Amino acid sequence: MRATSVSTWPARRRGPPPAPPGPEWSDRGLVITAIVYGTPPWARQGRPCSPASPGFEIFCVPDDPADFGRFAVEQATAKVLTSLDHHFGREFDRPAEHNATLSGMTVLEGLNARVGPCRWQVAYHPYPPNLFSSAFSADDYPEITYGNLGILLGWLRQRFPDRPHAWTVQLTESGINSGQQSHETDQANIVCWSLHNVLGTPGIESHIYHRMQDNPNEGGLQLGLRRADGSAKPSWATWALANRNDLSPAQLSCEFEHLPYTVLVR
């Protein structure tokens, strides 16, 4: 299990930082993930800000990015991750376009060149190429999806051979649509195949599904394992019961049948 919280930078704090959570969370097998993003008004008062549209001011550059760095590494044992969507290959380097983009490759190389000895890892979002479709394949490059995750892990080892901390990836957001251009049955089947590929790719440490319940504000996407009214879709059972080796008899599927071993896949 994984508990996830979302926050923006806090207001400037006086005095020492609060004590970290007690060891009881680790004793229960829980890993705490804090998704920290956005620049609050107090941190961006001295620089021009031209948001993409009203309401996006939170993504403007702060006065002093070092403030965020100090906040992010307050917890000495925390792993610092940089988040990427599935546009990974250099074909997505389009800095001159109106909606400018940089590829995941370029972002990671730039990050590595600027952080000195700091240890970093990748938080990746391996959505299908078309968010409304459930289809993915081994031929999705220059996008990296559930279908070709091995390219990402191989590239990290090849490009940063002296930085082994970068060889481990967390999948912190990704989901399969069950609405338009898909179906709830397709979603359940593809969730199983995604587990098959994630489990069979060395170097992936965690897999967080997005989302538990459909959100009407996601532009028509129906990624939830449950419907907007809270009722379970077929994919809920797929996700929740794939690795229940704590039951008797065990309920194992989607490549978890081999526990305590895993089978590498291509």
Side-chain angles (χ1 to χ4, degrees):
M1 296 179 65
R2 177 176 292 271
T4 303
S5 63
V6 179
S7 65
T8 57
W9 306 8
R12 295 185 185 276
R13 181 187 295 120
R14 293 185 175 90
E24 63 270 15
W25 292 110
S26 297
D27 293 342
R28 296 179 184 182
L30 293 174
V31 177
I32 306 302
T33 302
I35 302 174
V36 186
Y37 76 98
T39 307
W42 64 260
R44 49 182 162 84
Q45 294 178 353
R47 299 185 64 162
C49 177
S50 299
S53 60
F56 282 74
E57 293 82 2
I58 193 172
F59 296 110
C60 287
V61 177
D63 300 338
D64 183 5
D67 285 343
F68 181 78
R70 285 189 291 272
F71 164 62
V73 298
E74 216 165 69
Q75 169 55 265
T77 61
K79 297 178 180 179
V80 179
L81 314 176
T82 184
S83 181
L84 301 174
D85 68 9
H86 58 188
H87 298 96
F88 193 74
R90 299 191 195 280
E91 291 85 343
F92 293 108
D93 284 329
R94 301 164 186 169
E97 293 190 2
H98 176 69
N99 294 317
T101 61
L102 290 177
S103 69
M105 287 182 175
T106 295
V107 169
L108 291 181
E109 289 174 344
L111 173 75
N112 186 66
R114 290 166 173 81
V115 298
C118 292
R119 298 164 64 90
W120 55 269
Q121 289 184 345
V122 174
Y124 199 74
H125 301 175
Y127 284 103
N130 176 357
L131 297 185
F132 285 91
S133 171
S134 59
F136 59 79
S137 81
D139 300 321
D140 286 337
Y141 189 84
E143 292 168 311
I144 290 183
T145 71
Y146 287 125
N148 58 354
L149 281 166
I151 294 176
L152 170 63
L153 277 298
W155 183 85
L156 289 170
R157 283 179 172 263
Q158 181 188 58
R159 186 65 184 84
F160 307 108
D162 59 342
R163 310 214 74 178
H165 55 82
W167 304 345
T168 302
V169 170
Q170 323 287 332
L171 303 182
T172 52
E173 179 190 319
S174 53
I176 302 297
N177 185 41
S178 66
Q180 182 184 11
Q181 301 182 40
S182 185
H183 187 274
E184 289 187 0
T185 301
D186 292 339
Q187 181 194 43
N189 292 334
I190 298 302
V191 165
C192 186
W193 271 105
S194 71
L195 293 173
H196 172 99
N197 288 351
V198 169
L199 190 64
T201 303
I204 298 177
E205 190 170 73
S206 65
H207 181 13
I208 301 174
Y209 188 88
H210 176 86
R211 47 186 303 136
M212 290 298 106
Q213 186 168 327
D214 285 343
N215 180 0
N217 296 320
E218 285 198 315
L221 285 172
Q222 297 177 24
L223 304 174
L225 301 174
R226 292 180 175 269
R227 304 177 188 95
D229 63 6
S231 59
K233 301 178 188 178
S235 56
W236 167 251
T238 302
W239 178 267
L241 301 178
N243 62 347
R244 293 298 305 274
N245 62 348
D246 58 315
L247 301 178
S248 182
Q251 293 192 38
L252 303 173
S253 59
C254 306
E255 285 303 301
F256 286 99
E257 298 93 332
H258 307 287
L259 287 179
Y261 304 101
T262 58
V263 177
L264 304 186
V265 298
R266 300 184 72 176

